Amino acid sequence: ARVRGSADRALCTLRMSRRLDPERQLSHRLADVAERYGVALDRPHDALADAAATAAILPHLLDAHRITEPEQLEPFYVSPAR
């Protein structure tokens, strides 16, 4: 299924990670989330490396939330900062 999006919103993996931990007992920094899911983050704070790690983490977050339909992503969209 194709996810219809718009340039005025973005899928927030931080929001997805935090929603899995409502008591905030875990760190949701990219390096920590990557480690939790066994995803390599070789060069933290390097834009390409961070983007690759985020892309590799996304399927884990989708699975953890049991997301199977694009409409289920709605709570995780945010308006990007301009």
Side-chain angles (χ1 to χ4, degrees), residues 9-42:
R9 62 187 199 156
L11 188 61
C12 182
T13 54
L14 175 60
R15 182 176 282 185
M16 293 179 82
S17 181
R18 285 180 174 166
R19 186 77 57 94
L20 292 169
D21 179 32
E23 301 298 320
R24 298 296 194 274
Q25 295 180 359
L26 302 171
S27 168
H28 299 282
R29 293 176 54 241
L30 180 58
D32 295 327
V33 175
E35 183 177 331
R36 195 158 41 249
Y37 289 112
V39 171
L41 178 58
D42 301 325

Side-chain angles (χ1 to χ4, degrees), residues 6-12 77-82:
S6 166
D8 62 338
R9 62 187 199 156
L11 188 61
C12 182
Y77 281 114
V78 296
S79 296
R82 295 185 190 253

Side-chain angles (χ1 to χ4, degrees), residues 47-58:
L48 187 56
D50 286 357
T54 300
I57 289 167
L58 181 58

